[in-house]
Amino acid sequence: MPLKFELCPGRMIGGSNPCFIIAEIGQNHQGDIEIAKKMIKMAKDCGADCAKFQKSELEYKFNKRALERPYTSKQSWGKTYGEHKRHLEFSHVQYLELQNYAKEFLHELDVPFFKVGSGDTNNFPYLEKTAKKGRPMVVSSGMQSMETMRRVYQTVKKHNQNFCILQCTSAYPLEAEDVNLRVIAEYQKEFPDIPIGYSGHESGVHISVAAVALGAKVIERHVTLDKSWKGSDHEASLEPSELTELVKAIRLVERSLGTGIKQMLPCEKPCHDKLGKSVVAKVAIPKGTVLSMDMLGVKVGEPKGIPPEDIFHLVGKSVTEDVEEDESITPDVVDGYGKKIKCRVE
């Protein structure tokens, strides 16, 4: 059983707990705090477990030449990459304002965990420093190898037990053939004591729902109010109707996963009563006759008789009463047979 831990106050992840759904606002707020507030409310209204922003200290994340390089993309908010990024950065004061706004709508949006983006996953000094802070961590794995992810696991685990790893491919938008959902199963084998999740940049909701069916315990998707807005993330983001669809689909899939125990369920009993097969007599069988296979057949019988899977166990046993041709052979007329039809009772 994968490790379970509390990612937010009162919200466990892992094990049999519901998938934790992160609405990644990122920088899709266009640098406008009022749009950011609308997006927080949208995430709540659509049923997400939390809304997440990206905060960068640009001088620590990029060197001077990276910030000064020309950025002529139609998605750009400035002439250089630094100008573009600064336009999209909120100040610490603004983030406090957003946090206070979020508390008016959803207390659990005060999320006490660190998200390590794919670009920092192989930054081991940063990873170790973050792990030592002791808060739960969510680590994306875009652009990384399995060897690197083993090092990530060992580095974080040494200092912090409460973390999960997300399968991720860093492309925007992401094509289906590059998603590689099978990595989820590989992570589950490699790291069996932590929850595994999925961070997606594909169009639509189907692939993310499939990730949950494969065992993802955290789903992260970028969200937007309008895919046509300027910015490289909008095209790979979910609009409100899609986020609502994603949440509903994930909760439906979770209900469908069941226990993994294969047995007849109470909901199947009407069908079994109507169409379930029984062992019947191919010929008239007098009392005391020792049964052989040539005497036995399988049909929908009334009354319900011995189930077909036990037909071979009847060979060599004797009947205690006369059985007419085409009649069901019931447990009470076979000497030494005592099996009853069972189904799970809630």
Side-chain angles (χ1 to χ4, degrees):
M1 178 66 71
L3 175 71
K4 298 181 289 185
F5 64 88
E6 189 176 61
L7 188 62
C8 293
R11 183 62 162 84
M12 301 291 291
I13 67 164
S16 60
N17 294 288
C19 177
F20 190 86
I21 302 171
I22 300 172
E24 169 65 273
I25 294 172
Q27 295 184 327
N28 281 353
H29 48 67
Q30 311 299 85
D32 186 323
I33 197 165
E34 294 306 315
I35 291 177
K37 290 177 180 179
K38 290 178 181 178
M39 296 185 77
I40 290 172
K41 187 175 186 302
M42 179 268 282
K44 172 197 178 290
D45 291 343
C46 293
D49 290 291
C50 83
K52 185 174 85 64
F53 291 87
Q54 295 175 6
K55 178 73 180 94
S56 297
E57 300 296 336
L58 298 180
E59 284 69 25
Y60 290 93
K61 187 172 183 178
F62 302 94
N63 68 13
K64 289 182 180 179
R65 290 184 66 179
L67 291 173
E68 291 169 357
R69 70 187 179 202
Y71 194 51
T72 57
S73 165
K74 64 180 182 179
Q75 312 293 357
S76 176
W77 292 95
K79 294 180 180 179
T80 66
Y81 195 65
E83 290 178 4
H84 166 77
K85 296 296 288 186
R86 289 186 184 96
H87 174 84
L88 295 171
E89 284 294 331
F90 288 143
S91 68
H92 289 265
V93 172
Q94 287 175 307
Y95 272 115
L96 286 174
E97 181 181 344
L98 288 173
Q99 187 179 59
N100 290 331
Y101 175 82
K103 286 178 180 177
E104 296 176 15
F105 291 95
L106 196 65
H107 291 297
E108 55 265 53
L109 280 173
D110 184 14
V111 285
F113 67 87
F114 291 116
K115 167 66 195 299
V116 179
S118 294
D120 278 315
T121 296
N122 60 351
N123 182 348
F124 286 96
Y126 164 79
L127 203 64
E128 185 173 42
K129 182 178 180 180
T130 303
K132 286 180 177 178
K133 293 181 183 294
R135 293 188 182 186
M137 295 172 62
V138 177
V139 184
S140 279
S141 60
M143 304 178 287
Q144 312 302 330
S145 66
M146 183 62 82
E147 181 181 355
T148 296
M149 293 314 298
R150 291 189 188 104
R151 284 186 61 195
V152 168
Y153 170 84
Q154 293 162 0
T155 299
V156 177
K157 191 76 172 177
K158 182 179 178 181
H159 305 287
N160 191 336
Q161 302 296 305
N162 297 331
F163 71 103
C164 66
I165 290 174
L166 309 186
Q167 160 56 3
C168 177
T169 301
S170 298
Y172 308 83
L174 175 61
E175 298 298 328
E177 55 267 28
D178 295 322
V179 172
N180 210 356
L181 285 181
R182 287 193 174 98
V183 173
I184 292 173
E186 295 305 309
Y187 281 165
Q188 289 166 338
K189 288 187 287 187
E190 288 277 345
F191 317 123
D193 57 347
I194 64 169
I196 301 301
Y198 173 69
S199 177
H201 307 123
E202 72 278 1
S203 299
V205 304
H206 299 92
I207 289 172
S208 295
V209 174
V212 175
L214 290 173
K217 300 300 181 183
V218 174
I219 291 290
E220 179 184 60
R221 289 298 304 270
H222 285 258
V223 296
T224 181
L225 295 179
D226 189 335
K227 289 185 181 184
S228 68
W229 281 354
K230 181 163 70 173
S232 57
D233 286 346
H234 290 288
E235 187 179 354
S237 299
L238 301 179
E239 291 183 339
S241 61
E242 293 174 302
L243 180 58
T244 298
E245 180 187 358
L246 175 67
V247 173
K248 289 182 178 178
I250 286 174
R251 299 308 176 216
L252 180 62
V253 165
E254 287 174 329
R255 286 170 51 203
S256 75
L257 290 175
T259 64
I261 300 169
K262 183 57 184 172
Q263 58 186 339
M264 193 196 312
L265 299 175
C267 65
E268 296 179 290
K269 191 173 184 303
C271 185
H272 182 268
D273 289 345
K274 181 180 179 181
L275 298 175
K277 301 281 199 302
S278 297
V279 178
V280 300
K282 279 187 176 180
V283 296
I285 305 174
K287 177 180 178 179
T289 300
V290 175
L291 296 172
S292 59
M293 273 302 297
D294 59 350
M295 302 175 186
L296 307 175
V298 174
K299 292 183 178 181
V300 175
E302 184 64 41
K304 195 68 66 185
I306 289 171
E309 62 264 29
D310 286 353
I311 192 169
F312 297 119
H313 298 307
L314 301 180
V315 175
K317 292 182 169 59
S318 59
V319 294
T320 58
E321 298 178 15
D322 292 338
V323 181
E324 297 297 324
E325 181 181 349
D326 205 43
E327 280 194 358
S328 300
I329 298 178
T330 56
D332 57 299
V333 303
V334 179
D335 189 34
Y337 181 88
K339 182 177 179 181
K340 294 181 179 180
I341 299 170
K342 295 181 180 179
C343 70
R344 180 171 66 85
V345 177
E346 296 284 359

